[in-house]
Amino acid sequence: MRFKDKVALVTGGSRGIGKGIVSALAAEGATVVFTYKSSKETAEAFVSELKSGGTTAEALQHDASDTEGAAGVVNHIVKTYGGVDILVNNAGITRDQLLMRMTEDDWDTVMENNLKGVYSLSKAVLKPMMGKRYGKIVNISSVVGVIGNAGQTNYAASKAGVLGFTKALAREVASRNICVNAVAPGFIETEMTANLNDEQKKKLNEQIALKRLGTVEDVAKVVCFLCSTEADYMTGQVLHVDGGMVMQ
Ligand code: NAP
């Protein structure tokens, strides 16, 4: 029970990788609050599932691109649960298009969700974390932010931005015992990758040393490690969870 007495906030936690992270933190004793954008029923069903397993859990509707609402989310959690110990910035979207055809809206929407969202919630948790002199922030980037991918200039730029943000913030808040790290997943089996056909999956597997797509559990386990005391001497790091796709 590595997270007994810890309060965790996970963005985009009702489905996919975020759901896996919420489940893994809850399984080890954390109080979990997660955000979702629009799927209220799915989010509430997951909260019921968590509560029936004995976890204190809550789902909050909050769009990652709503920077003004971020402080309200954090204030609510601090008032209700006494603080925020862990923040996992997981919510992220794609709007894929070759740059030649990419609209300004495709660019802005991805940057606002994937990068500005990380800025606003990280900023909002700093005060309560500094007050406690304890905090773990984990930002979910992507292998695409490291090596690029045709058709994803907006997504790659946002995810590379998350890595720079992670390293800069890690330096700013280390003296307050707040650790900021990033995880760069490769291709993970979620709805985001569900539309890949068998041929595309076969081609992808050829680039992956472990010859399979990852699971949400593969990512969640590494996020939990970074949120745990086992990673107390790690900050500003990027852990790749990609089956050996990228080796640095
Ligand atoms: P996903 O399956 O699309 O996850 C969707 C979750 O995010 C849902 O809870 C959804 O809520 C929420 N969400 C979507 N837009 C949101 C917004 N604007 N504000 C708040 N919540 C929002 O995504 P995923 O594949 O699990 O990806 C999770 C993270 O991992 C992302 O940052 C993604 O870039 C990154 N990643 C994924 C892969 C992959 O292969 N899947 C690989 C590398 C990195 P609603 O249901 O209400 O919309």
Side-chain angles (χ1 to χ4, degrees):
M1 299 296 268
R2 288 181 293 180
F3 307 115
K4 196 174 165 286
D5 303 325
K6 297 285 186 247
V7 178
L9 168 60
V10 180
T11 65
S14 62
R15 294 186 284 114
I17 293 172
K19 185 177 182 182
I21 294 168
V22 171
S23 299
L25 290 168
E28 294 206 60
T31 289
V32 286
V33 180
F34 65 86
T35 64
Y36 64 95
K37 186 182 174 188
S38 48
S39 57
K40 188 173 169 52
E41 267 181 36
T42 309
E44 290 304 339
F46 184 33
V47 168
S48 301
E49 193 186 308
L50 289 162
K51 283 185 173 168
S52 65
T55 297
T56 303
E58 185 176 351
L60 299 174
Q61 193 286 324
H62 173 253
D63 191 321
S65 64
D66 170 15
T67 45
E68 285 179 14
V73 168
V74 172
N75 289 343
H76 167 78
I77 297 170
V78 172
K79 260 195 207 154
T80 314
Y81 306 103
V84 187
D85 305 291
I86 293 166
L87 167 66
V88 183
N89 281 308
N90 164 76
I93 60 160
T94 51
R95 282 271 194 101
D96 298 351
Q97 191 56 267
L98 293 174
L99 187 62
M100 289 278 282
R101 294 194 205 119
M102 188 176 288
T103 65
E104 196 168 336
D105 187 55
D106 291 333
W107 177 269
D108 288 343
T109 305
V110 168
M111 296 307 270
E112 277 165 21
N113 279 276
N114 297 6
L115 189 53
K116 209 167 175 189
V118 172
Y119 146 81
S120 60
L121 267 175
S122 302
K123 189 173 174 185
V125 296
L126 284 189
K127 210 171 166 196
M129 284 185 175
M130 282 178 175
K132 277 197 175 180
R133 290 210 162 245
Y134 182 88
K136 302 278 190 187
I137 299 176
V138 179
N139 298 321
I140 306 300
S141 176
S142 168
V143 67
V144 169
V146 181
I147 60 171
N149 195 21
Q152 292 197 307
T153 49
N154 50 358
Y155 183 76
S158 71
K159 292 300 188 179
V162 165
L163 299 183
F165 175 92
T166 299
K167 293 171 191 177
L169 183 61
R171 290 186 189 277
E172 280 185 26
V173 296
S175 63
R176 308 299 172 97
N177 196 32
I178 301 169
C179 296
V180 190
N181 291 291
V183 170
F187 289 93
I188 308 299
E189 283 177 2
T190 62
E191 283 169 42
M192 205 181 241
T193 50
N195 52 1
L196 295 172
N197 61 35
D198 285 349
E199 187 56 33
Q200 287 169 316
K201 281 189 184 169
K202 193 170 160 250
K203 277 204 177 130
L204 270 179
N205 282 343
E206 283 163 13
Q207 303 167 46
I208 302 171
L210 289 173
K211 299 288 173 228
R212 65 168 177 88
L213 297 195
T215 64
V216 295
E217 290 78 16
D218 289 326
V219 180
K221 279 186 268 191
V222 175
V223 172
C224 283
F225 164 68
L226 288 172
C227 294
S228 76
T229 55
E230 289 155 53
D232 278 351
Y233 198 53
M234 289 179 71
T235 196
Q237 303 305 308
V238 182
L239 295 187
H240 293 247
V241 184
D242 60 10
M245 221 179 142
V246 178
M247 298 190 190
Q248 289 183 320

